[in-house]
Amino acid sequence: MIKEFPKEKSLEIYRLLRLGRRFEEKSIELGDQGEIPGSIHAGIGMEAIGLGISLALQKGDITRRTHRGHAAMIAEGADIKYMFAELFGRVTGTNKGKGGSMHIAGISGVLGSNCHMAAGVALAFKIRNEKRVAVGYFGDGAANQGPVHEAMNMAAIWSLPVVFVCENNLYAVSTSVKYSSLLENLSQRAKAYGFKGITVDGMDVVSVYKAAKELLEAARSGKGPSLLECKSYRFCCHSAGTSRLNLHYRSDEEVEKWKERCPIKLWSDKLINEKTCTADDLKIIDEKVEKEIEDAVDFARNSKFPDIEDAFKDMYATPYAGIPQKGWG
Amino acid sequence: MRNIRYLKAVSDAVLQEMEKDNSIFYMGEDVRCGLRGISRGFMEKFGPDRVINTPISESGFVGIATGAAMEGMRPILEFEINEFVFFAFDELIDQAQKYHYMSGGKYKVPVTYLVPLMLGSMAGQHSDYPYAHTVHAGMKTILPSTPYDAKGLIISAIRDNDPVMVFLPTRVLAGKGDVPEGQYSIPFGQGDIKREGDDITVVATGHMVIDALNAAKILEQEGISLEIYDPRTLLPLDIDLLVKSVNKTGRAVIFDDSNRTCGFAAEIAAIISDKCFESLKAPVKRVTRADCIVPFSPLLEKQILPKDTHLIDIVNELIK
């Protein structure tokens, strides 16, 4: 057993991994059935990253997740009732039905911008002299966006308390990271900004947690930003819609090989092998997770849609008469 | 009341708000030395935590300001020149402008962007005026033409809980006017009649107000009386005052120094045709910048940019 994670905590980690996985699987299923509109960008297979990071966070720390961040959000304690309600476009949703999957709970669905946002949050912490840390998630695809470079450089020169977390799942839609970068590890880029970069096994909760803990503590104690690259793999398609396109950009063998290192499987094997719990204990958790998923979907399904006039609300935080203008009438 | 330059009025507005509110910081390229004059002396007064020089990273610092604003700060950003706004367009339009709505009202992004509008022999990549772009995207956008308007509107912009684009025409920066010493705010969405008249409403934006006033003096000698309506804030726009003026005069010319097609003048013309149709005695006309890249040579530049003589010609045409 890992000393930081006694039995109860270990089982809770399992529950959250499972809940994150099932949330996304269920969302895709309901999307395919036409009940959830739009597209879901799932991170099935990548759950250990958000969970490992969440274990290292302290109260008051803020994360800026990506469009593939449902499981990370759940790991941080979000209530899936309101998440499903958002995906269903209901008024009870996290964003009152204005954001959907890609902007759930106010995250940015534009690649790389969460690095800015996190650096900005960290700047606020630093100006106010608060001992808090921001985490900015991005992927291997976003790594090549100019704004990511700008954010990292400014975070470095101002020594901002921010940890940039690269969820490297090896493909930007279909483009391999081996094509888009010559580097073995994207964390090598940290050296160019003058801060620390680490690459860890993103399928292993403990590896992510340990690295995140070290980097968050450094940021908190005034040592500035860092880059944590978590090597991982997306078992599902880029987005729910692309599954229908039947794109061939990776071999079935490759996918199967990575599935053997499924983070939930690694964690549950570990718990059973180390006799922290039995397979039956985990089965009980699985059943509870299923119940929670079903209840949350029911909550979403039975929630009200927003009023049609809500379409024009919240466009401005300081409202003025006459704006926004309607498109007709 | 003091008779001060426009630039000083801008600087006073920012300084007085910064003295009052610790959550405001001032950020941009070369702001510590006060390159453009607005932040001269700020560094000595507020220190490096609140007066932040950035590398040349427009997209980056606009994004960082958004993140800080969502975490309770009220950043004021200074752009070096107008065109650099394009570097940050995603950060402005797709991020800062959208978080409040997309999050169902959870996040506020109170950022003020100060954008000087360069003019005169600056050529292709330093002369575009992107205010129609930001209005089109639904972003609050203001274009003060006088020192008094600048101070009152910028104070409103800083206190506003949304991102606000403030465009500062270089041609008016050195102009003087009477400005109260203390703080005052002018609410957005209140246009101003800069000159009352009977024959034609001239909708003049930013520095075109100066040219419109010049034209009015000349035309007065010919017995033609111009009413000059300055919207001051482009979004929100004071439609009521515009309609009232055009209904009175029955004729309208929009005088705007941004591109013609899909431009700000086109929107004003559409509003007038929709709301003043019954009272119009003549077609609504536009005097705008040409749909052309601004050339360097002063001779060529004159062919592209609108000025008072063009307005006078159009007015004479309409009155005949």
Side-chain angles (χ1 to χ4, degrees):
Chain A
M1 205 188 322
I2 306 138
K3 71 172 170 27
E4 288 98 328
F5 307 133
K7 182 177 177 183
E8 206 174 304
K9 185 75 187 168
S10 289
L11 293 179
E12 176 61 5
I13 290 170
Y14 176 80
R15 188 186 76 83
L16 288 169
L17 286 170
R18 187 84 198 152
L19 193 63
R21 170 73 55 94
R22 291 294 299 133
F23 177 88
E24 290 196 323
E25 286 176 345
K26 191 72 183 174
S27 300
I28 293 170
E29 182 189 320
L30 293 170
D32 287 345
Q33 290 166 8
E35 204 169 354
I36 288 177
S39 186
I40 311 288
H41 294 73
I44 292 170
M46 300 162 64
E47 297 88 348
I49 305 172
L51 195 58
I53 302 291
S54 76
L55 292 167
L57 296 173
Q58 287 186 13
K59 196 166 178 282
D61 292 347
I62 286 183
T63 65
R64 302 291 314 187
R65 298 169 304 269
T66 73
H67 57 298
R68 216 177 282 291
H70 309 102
M73 191 172 163
I74 291 166
E76 288 170 31
D79 189 329
I80 62 166
K81 280 207 302 280
Y82 307 117
M83 292 176 69
F84 269 124
E86 185 59 32
L87 268 47
F88 273 74
R90 307 301 164 112
V91 72
T92 50
T94 50
N95 310 28
K96 299 183 192 166
K98 297 259 179 74
S101 164
M102 283 186 285
H103 316 101
I104 197 159
I107 61 109
S108 173
V110 173
L111 295 194
S113 56
N114 295 298
C115 291
H116 284 150
M117 301 298 154
V121 168
L123 177 64
F125 293 163
K126 190 174 162 92
I127 291 174
R128 296 193 300 241
N129 205 18
E130 295 169 346
K131 296 283 173 212
R132 298 162 72 187
V133 181
V135 172
Y137 283 98
F138 67 110
D140 50 290
N144 300 316
Q145 290 275 42
V148 171
H149 162 72
E150 294 186 22
M152 289 192 184
N153 185 53
M154 279 186 271
I157 62 169
W158 297 329
S159 195
L160 299 181
V162 55
V163 177
F164 298 104
V165 176
C166 178
E167 300 181 280
N168 182 356
N169 63 19
L170 310 186
Y171 292 90
V173 189
S174 71
T175 303
S176 164
V177 70
K178 286 181 183 159
Y179 177 87
S180 60
S181 168
L182 293 181
L183 301 178
E184 176 68 23
N185 294 318
L186 292 173
S187 66
Q188 288 169 250
R189 291 187 183 176
K191 205 171 181 182
Y193 306 113
F195 53 67
K196 189 169 186 176
I198 304 178
T199 295
V200 297
D201 176 6
M203 306 306 259
D204 177 39
V205 174
V206 179
S207 300
V208 176
Y209 161 73
K210 283 186 172 165
K213 191 163 181 276
E214 179 199 330
L215 299 178
L216 275 141
E217 271 171 16
R220 204 180 308 283
S221 62
K223 295 195 177 98
S226 55
L227 170 56
L228 173 59
E229 180 192 19
C230 304
K231 286 267 174 69
S232 181
Y233 203 79
R234 149 171 70 72
F235 299 163
C236 53
C237 294
H238 160 73
S239 65
T242 51
S243 64
R244 288 186 278 275
L245 301 174
N246 210 14
L247 306 173
H248 292 290
Y249 55 89
R250 51 189 195 181
S251 68
D252 292 345
E253 294 75 29
E254 182 184 294
V255 178
E256 288 311 312
K257 203 175 132 238
W258 275 94
K259 279 186 177 171
E260 284 167 21
R261 301 203 65 248
C262 164
I264 305 180
K265 186 171 167 292
L266 290 185
W267 187 252
S268 57
D269 285 355
K270 189 185 186 77
L271 296 186
I272 292 166
N273 292 341
E274 291 174 358
K275 302 198 186 319
T276 307
C277 69
T278 64
D280 284 346
D281 291 334
L282 299 181
K283 215 174 148 198
I284 293 168
I285 294 174
D286 290 352
E287 282 161 10
K288 278 187 186 159
V289 164
E290 284 315 300
K291 177 81 170 66
E292 192 176 343
I293 294 278
E294 289 310 319
D295 288 350
V297 169
D298 280 346
F299 171 82
R301 209 174 258 148
N302 295 321
S303 286
K304 281 185 183 161
F305 280 104
D307 287 339
I308 51 173
E309 282 301 311
D310 287 355
F312 304 101
K313 280 188 191 154
D314 286 330
M315 176 76 181
Y316 300 101
T318 302
Y320 276 98
I323 55 169
Q325 284 207 61
K326 294 186 179 181
W328 57 88
Chain B
M1 262 328 163
R2 294 171 306 160
N3 192 260
I4 58 170
R5 292 196 192 282
Y6 186 110
L7 189 66
K8 170 79 176 142
V10 174
S11 183
D12 280 1
V14 175
L15 180 93
Q16 288 173 2
E17 285 298 292
M18 283 184 78
E19 280 173 339
K20 227 185 56 182
D21 184 348
N22 281 334
S23 67
I24 299 173
F25 64 83
Y26 196 85
M27 181 186 246
E29 292 149 8
D30 309 299
V31 296
R32 283 184 180 159
C33 70
L35 175 69
R36 277 156 304 277
I38 298 170
S39 59
R40 202 66 57 96
F42 284 15
M43 179 65 180
E44 292 71 23
K45 201 167 174 60
F46 300 110
D49 276 354
R50 296 185 65 198
V51 185
I52 304 173
N53 261 6
T54 68
I56 298 175
S57 299
E58 279 82 7
S59 170
F61 71 69
V62 172
I64 284 174
T66 304
M70 288 162 80
E71 190 41 46
M73 304 302 284
R74 304 184 78 84
I76 300 174
L77 301 193
E78 183 185 290
F79 278 86
E80 195 146 286
I81 67 156
N82 29 321
E83 306 258 353
F84 298 169
V85 166
F86 294 138
F87 272 114
F89 233 52
D90 180 73
E91 294 305 325
L92 292 167
I93 304 306
D94 223 16
Q95 312 289 339
Q97 166 66 2
K98 288 185 180 165
Y99 274 109
H100 186 259
Y101 186 87
M102 266 186 349
S103 68
K106 185 180 165 198
Y107 288 115
K108 290 182 178 62
V109 187
V111 187
T112 305
Y113 312 96
L114 302 177
V115 188
L117 296 172
M118 306 296 278
L119 193 83
S121 297
M122 297 302 289
Q125 294 176 332
H126 294 69
S127 301
D128 285 3
Y129 287 1
Y131 46 78
H133 299 60
T134 55
V135 170
H136 186 71
M139 191 172 245
K140 289 177 181 169
T141 300
I142 70 173
L143 183 56
S145 66
T146 68
Y148 177 84
D149 290 351
K151 183 170 178 184
L153 288 169
I154 289 169
I155 286 176
S156 287
I158 296 168
R159 293 176 186 173
D160 200 281
N161 284 324
D162 293 308
V164 181
M165 296 297 294
V166 182
F167 288 99
L168 309 167
T170 296
R171 246 186 82 198
V172 301
L173 287 181
K176 281 188 163 184
D178 287 341
V179 179
E181 204 151 342
Q183 287 180 302
Y184 62 94
S185 62
I186 302 172
F188 293 170
Q190 292 188 4
D192 188 35
I193 300 295
K194 288 286 192 278
R195 183 188 194 276
E196 288 195 26
D198 303 314
D199 299 325
I200 293 188
T201 299
V202 175
V203 179
T205 56
H207 60 280
M208 301 321 285
V209 171
I210 304 171
D211 278 6
L213 288 166
N214 280 341
K217 268 188 206 157
I218 294 164
L219 287 163
E220 193 175 30
Q221 287 157 14
E222 297 170 25
I224 300 169
S225 158
L226 300 190
E227 173 143 309
I228 298 169
Y229 162 81
D230 174 4
R232 302 198 288 191
T233 67
L234 309 187
L235 187 92
L237 179 72
D238 188 348
I239 293 177
D240 292 346
L241 189 64
L242 169 68
V243 168
K244 199 175 146 201
S245 175
V246 177
N247 279 342
K248 182 178 83 174
T249 62
R251 295 181 183 89
V253 180
I254 304 117
F255 194 28
D256 177 64
D257 189 9
S258 64
N259 285 23
R260 190 174 184 84
T261 303
C262 294
F264 186 70
E267 174 61 25
I268 298 288
I271 292 169
I272 294 171
S273 74
D274 180 25
K275 301 200 184 288
C276 309
F277 185 72
E278 300 293 329
S279 55
L280 284 176
K281 298 172 202 158
V284 178
K285 290 285 182 184
R286 288 175 286 169
V287 176
T288 67
R289 187 179 284 201
D291 284 342
C292 189
I293 295 160
V294 177
F296 172 69
S297 169
L299 184 77
L300 299 177
E301 192 185 61
K302 275 183 193 160
Q303 304 307 308
I304 306 300
L305 304 178
K307 60 177 186 209
D308 49 8
T309 51
H310 306 130
L311 177 65
I312 291 168
D313 289 348
I314 292 282
V315 166
N316 280 324
E317 214 176 277
L318 284 180
I319 292 293
K320 271 178 211 162

